[in-house]
Amino acid sequence: MTESKRETERKYEPSSSGVDGLPDLTGAGPVASVTASGPEELDAVYHDTADLRLAGSSATLRRRTGGPDAGWHLKLPLTGDTREEMRAPLSDEVPDALRELLTSRTRGAPLRPVMRIRSTRSVRHLRDAEGEVLAELSIDEVRADSLLPGGGRAEWQEVEVELADGVGAGLLDTVEKKFRKKGINRADSPSKFVRALRDTGAAAEGALRPGHATATAPGSPGRYVLAYLEQQVASLVALDPAARRDLPDGVHRMRVTCRRLRSCLRSYRSVLNRRAT
């Protein structure tokens, strides 16, 4: 049995003064008070294929213990700062329901543990005048250990701001303005997993963004055709979980994408390798 929710969050790098340099967010937009809790000890093992197909498509799958939401977590990208998270109870093996939702990304390759990330987390809740939580600000001391051959260890600090359900994204912009004044900037990695792969040396630079269009001559017909095909393939992969869950319009959107792919392959056969396509 799985649960699903959408999360909207942004990650930040602390300034040179560390987490002690975080601004007081009381009075930032609708924030009337800030309450603190923690620390919590979180221990997550991330799973992927041997060639990191999930990371390459901006998906993450982890088994986490500690904290209030222990279990299996699958995160899939939506738009902007928003992702969809599906959860399943703790078990020794990847739950079948989550494994199935990753079929378009794994394409049959087995999933295996590739990274262990432990975090010591302190939490600050941003509340409105009625005491309702508007957002959760997490301060993480992160330790990552690669489980892949040749990988190492990395440590860093990270700040994360996640909106509560129903809160507008404008609050994130307000918080970010406060952060920038203190020299706190957005993290350059979309997730702890991607940063851990980079910082531990488990994934070579550029390995997580495969593509063929940029390998062709600039301005050539092939470059434009391949770029379009890659866009449609990425759309097909991203839509697959929605179709499997019978979400509204999921199957229809996949069929439209398939028709576009077929049309492009047929119309531009003169610049494509027919043996491959």
Side-chain angles (χ1 to χ4, degrees), residues 44-59:
V45 175
Y46 286 76
H47 289 61
D48 206 331
T49 63
D51 55 357
L52 303 176
R53 295 179 183 182
L54 300 190
S57 63
S58 302

Side-chain angles (χ1 to χ4, degrees), residues 163-186:
L163 294 178
D165 291 344
V167 177
L171 179 59
L172 288 178
D173 295 331
T174 300
V175 171
E176 187 160 308
K177 288 179 183 177
K178 292 274 191 179
F179 278 1
R180 283 203 300 265
K181 289 180 180 179
K182 290 286 188 176
I184 301 168
N185 298 310
R186 289 264 203 118

Side-chain angles (χ1 to χ4, degrees), residues 19-219:
V19 295
D20 294 332
L22 290 177
D24 180 7
L25 295 174
T26 304
V31 179
S33 63
V34 180
T35 58
S37 64
E40 303 168 346
E41 295 295 333
L42 308 177
D43 191 342
V45 175
Y46 286 76
H47 289 61
D48 206 331
T49 63
D51 55 357
L52 303 176
R53 295 179 183 182
L54 300 190
S57 63
S58 302
T60 60
L61 174 67
R62 70 189 179 198
R63 181 187 187 274
R64 189 164 80 179
T65 56
D69 61 347
W72 286 92
H73 303 160
L74 168 60
K75 297 190 179 187
L76 300 175
L78 293 175
T79 57
D81 301 311
T82 302
R83 295 184 295 178
E84 184 170 19
E85 180 179 277
M86 281 146 281
R87 298 177 180 177
L90 275 177
S91 60
D92 292 335
E93 301 295 329
V94 178
D96 289 340
L98 298 186
R99 188 190 304 275
E100 182 183 59
L101 295 178
L102 291 169
T103 301
S104 64
R105 289 172 163 87
T106 63
R107 301 188 305 285
L111 292 166
R112 53 169 287 183
V114 297
M115 187 70 63
R116 183 182 184 188
I117 298 180
R118 287 167 287 179
S119 303
T120 301
R121 168 170 291 182
S122 298
V123 176
R124 299 178 187 178
H125 290 106
L126 312 185
R127 301 180 183 271
D128 63 15
E130 285 72 43
E132 295 294 323
V133 174
L134 298 168
E136 182 177 283
L137 186 154
S138 303
I139 304 165
D140 292 338
E141 300 281 347
V142 185
R143 305 170 303 284
D145 292 280
S146 172
L147 305 178
L148 292 170
R153 162 174 279 202
E155 298 183 2
W156 69 90
Q157 286 184 325
E158 182 176 284
V159 176
E160 179 181 294
V161 182
E162 180 179 344
L163 294 178
D165 291 344
V167 177
L171 179 59
L172 288 178
D173 295 331
T174 300
V175 171
E176 187 160 308
K177 288 179 183 177
K178 292 274 191 179
F179 278 1
R180 283 203 300 265
K181 289 180 180 179
K182 290 286 188 176
I184 301 168
N185 298 310
R186 289 264 203 118
D188 60 1
S189 295
S191 68
K192 287 183 177 67
F193 181 43
V194 170
R195 174 160 183 175
L197 289 172
R198 181 193 68 195
D199 288 4
T200 63
E205 190 71 27
L208 302 182
R209 294 187 177 276
H212 300 283
T214 55
T216 59

